[in-house]
């Protein structure tokens, strides 16, 4: 390949990067402690900086009332910037006493207006809670909610040679990412982030308004605390407590050597970028390409399948972008890695009447976490995102609908795409009820995306995404209702349209699309730990005592 071609492929990959893995809703919520029983807390670290209150006249206010999706800008009375769990306790106590609606933000990657809604009067900003450390007494890694994933990976790997199988967007913070059941490029090898969650430190509020910190772990003797831990293994943000520390250790890991208590990533990875031009790609060729991709992950989606170290995204951009891009990584250090990568690329391109262009690189692990093939996302843009899990490869009616919307001539946007990510593997080794993440036999995860800049174009781009999604799932009421093929939606890709009866005409409500059969247990946890519903948003878990339809 010529150097010019290589540069073109890499540039197209960066442009087609879209929204990276693992975006999230914020880890927020309030909880009720069990009556008259002391709760443990984690030890404090270095001395804390004082909390800062930022009001609308402050020059910092415009920065702190928005996240990565520029569609959403909040108008709280003030933002409380905290640097310790104790300051979170005080901020919540003050807001509750004043009767002010509270929301919490860690990294600002919420897809909807859950932290920017006009009803929110106090925004608690956790972005200064960034510590990543090891607690030898508890044998757990401690990650605070404001720590960016890029820093989590760097500190864990440089100090102990371990990692967390989380998302690839560097600026996503641990706060909402973990509690929603975050996934990433190593999840087929090591499972979800929550599969390594040993416990949480949570700020809670009792029925009488008492605010305190509690620690809930998978080993808690108190059943209510075990339930609280379980709810944080995929229950999503805004439900059960304000998480101030995540405690991480792989289940079954023994000993006191921290380098053995979380997964050890490959020291080097092969990364590949392949593009197919839309020119010459017929409907039949398009269907063959996407079907081939889905078929490979169906064949390699089980927990004991081969090539679990291979992770890939197929970025099927709108035809106006010019190309379809596939980005892939695989463990470079194992025998046969290059051959398996080549075989995968050949399998996806088999029978497709367009010759692909490609480039491969060998990168050290930490460099690979910054590779723009997976990482990326422009925080100055507006976007809409819808998600789906798949248990099987694409049926023809879904491919026909996808081709129609990705080649529409009445809509042109190089930032519009269907992003298909490989899934399954060790994710599927966990029972659906063992964590709050119920989708444990899926092999693909999808995102329907559009990015744009001009607010005047909101209706056009929202309309395209909604129509695309509706038509792909026309057979199941306009949403990916669980079936032989579909398996609902990812809670960290929040989508309030799922609760709109005009857009979801199925018999499956929004909460069942996210949580399936785990929702009743989440409701019981909500009732026990947040009976007052002090923190809430459009898709927060409802207490068991409330109607759920």
């Amino acid at each position: 390949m010529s150097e010019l071609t290589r540069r073109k492929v890499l540039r197209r990959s960066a442009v087609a990067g879209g929204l990276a893995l693992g975006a999230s809703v914020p880890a927020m919520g309030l909880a009720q402690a069990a009556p008259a029983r002391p709760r443990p807390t984690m030890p404090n670290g270095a001395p804390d900086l004082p909390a800062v209150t930022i009001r609308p006249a402050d020059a910092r206010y415009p920065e702190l009332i928005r996240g990565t999706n520029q569609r959403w800008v909040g108008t709280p009375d003030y933002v409380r910037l905290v640097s310790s769990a104790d300051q979170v306790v005080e901020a919540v106590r003050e807001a509750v006493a004043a009767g002010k609606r509270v929301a919490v933000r860690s990294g600002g990657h919420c897809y909807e207006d859950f932290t920017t809604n006009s009803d929110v009067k106090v925004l608690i900003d956790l972005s200064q809670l960034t510590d990543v450390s090891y607690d030898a007494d508890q044998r757990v890694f401690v990650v605070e909610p404001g720590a960016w994933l890029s820093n989590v990976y760097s500190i864990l790997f440089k100090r102990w040679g371990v990692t967390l199988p989380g998302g690839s967007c560097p600026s996503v913070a641990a706060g909402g990412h973990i509690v929603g059941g975050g996934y990433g490029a190593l999840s087929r090898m090591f499972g979800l982030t929550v599969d390594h969650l040993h416990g949480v430190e949570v700020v809670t509020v009792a029925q009488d308004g008492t605010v305190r910190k509690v620690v809930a772990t998978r080993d808690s003797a108190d059943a209510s605390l075990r339930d609280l831990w379980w709810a944080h293994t995929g229950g999503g943000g805004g439900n059960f407590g304000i998480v101030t520390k995540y405690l991480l250790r792989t289940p079954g890991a023994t000993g006191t050597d921290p380098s053995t208590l979380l997964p050890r990533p490959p020291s080097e990875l092969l990364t590949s970028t392949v593009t197919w031009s839309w020119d010459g790609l017929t409907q039949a060729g398009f269907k063959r390409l996407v079907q081939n991709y889905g078929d490979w992950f169906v064949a390699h989606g089980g927990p004991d399948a081969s090539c679990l170290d291979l992770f890939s995204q197929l970025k099927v951009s709108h035809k106006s972008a010019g190309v379809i891009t596939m980005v892939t990584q695989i463990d470079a250090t194992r025998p046969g890695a290059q051959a398996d990568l080549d075989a995968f690329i050949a399998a996806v391109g088999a029978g497709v009447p367009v010759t692909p262009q490609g480039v491969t690189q060998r990168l050290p692990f930490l460099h690979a976490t910054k590779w723009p093939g997976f990482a990326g996302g422009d925080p100055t843009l507006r976007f809409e995102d819808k998600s789906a899990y798949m248990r099987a490869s694409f049926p023809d009616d879904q491919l026909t609908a996808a081709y129609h919307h990705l080649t529409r001539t009445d809509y042109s946007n190089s930032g519009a795409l269907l992003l298909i990510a490989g899934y399954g593997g060790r994710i599927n080794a966990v029972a659906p009820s063992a964590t709050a993440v119920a989708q444990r036999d899926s092999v693909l995860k999808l995102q329907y995306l559009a990015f744009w800049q001009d607010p005047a174009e909101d209706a056009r781009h929202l309309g395209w995404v909604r129509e695309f999604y509706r038509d792909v799932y026309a057979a199941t009421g306009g949403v990916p209702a669980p079936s032989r093929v579909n398996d609902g939606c990812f809670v960290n890709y929040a989508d309030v349209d799922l609760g709109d009866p005009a857009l979801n005409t199925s018999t499956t409500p929004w909460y069942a699309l996210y949580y399936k059969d785990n929702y009743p247990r989440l409701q019981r946890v909500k009732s026990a730990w947040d009976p007052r519903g002090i923190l809430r948003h459009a898709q927060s878990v409802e207490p068991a005592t409330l109607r759920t339809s």
Side-chain angles (χ1 to χ4, degrees), residues 3-87:
E3 180 63 21
L4 177 59
T5 300
R6 181 178 183 276
R7 289 175 181 172
K8 288 170 63 180
V9 170
L10 290 174
R11 183 166 61 249
R12 287 169 175 169
S13 173
V15 170
L19 201 62
L21 292 177
S24 54
V25 295
M28 64 183 183
L30 297 176
Q32 177 192 13
R37 182 177 297 178
R39 297 300 192 195
T41 61
M42 295 295 293
N44 290 324
D48 306 317
L49 298 171
V52 179
T53 299
I54 298 170
R55 300 185 185 276
D58 194 303
R60 295 166 289 182
Y61 183 84
E63 177 67 30
L64 296 176
I65 59 172
R66 69 186 70 217
T68 58
N69 189 346
Q70 296 307 300
R71 288 171 60 197
W72 312 121
V73 180
T75 57
D77 293 349
Y78 62 87
V79 178
R80 180 66 57 81
L81 195 65
V82 297
S83 62
S84 73
D86 289 340
Q87 290 175 9

Side-chain angles (χ1 to χ4, degrees), residues 15 17 32 64-65 107 116 124 170 208 233 266 285 343 390 400 405 435 495 514 516 526:
V15 170
Q32 177 192 13
L64 296 176
I65 59 172
T116 56
I124 301 176
D208 63 1
T233 62
M390 295 191 72
T400 298
H405 287 283
T435 68
D495 179 10
Y514 289 142
K516 299 175 64 176
K526 177 75 169 179

Side-chain angles (χ1 to χ4, degrees), residues 24-30 88 103-108 110 115 124 126 144-146 173-180 200-203 232 236-246 492 535 537:
S24 54
V25 295
M28 64 183 183
L30 297 176
V88 174
V104 181
R105 172 181 291 154
S106 51
C110 185
T115 67
I124 301 176
L126 307 179
E144 292 186 332
H177 179 70
I178 295 176
V179 75
V200 285
E201 179 185 78
V202 191
V203 172
H232 285 87
N239 289 311
F240 314 106
I242 301 178
V243 178
T244 50
K245 290 182 176 67
Y246 287 102
N492 269 358
L535 282 179
H537 56 72

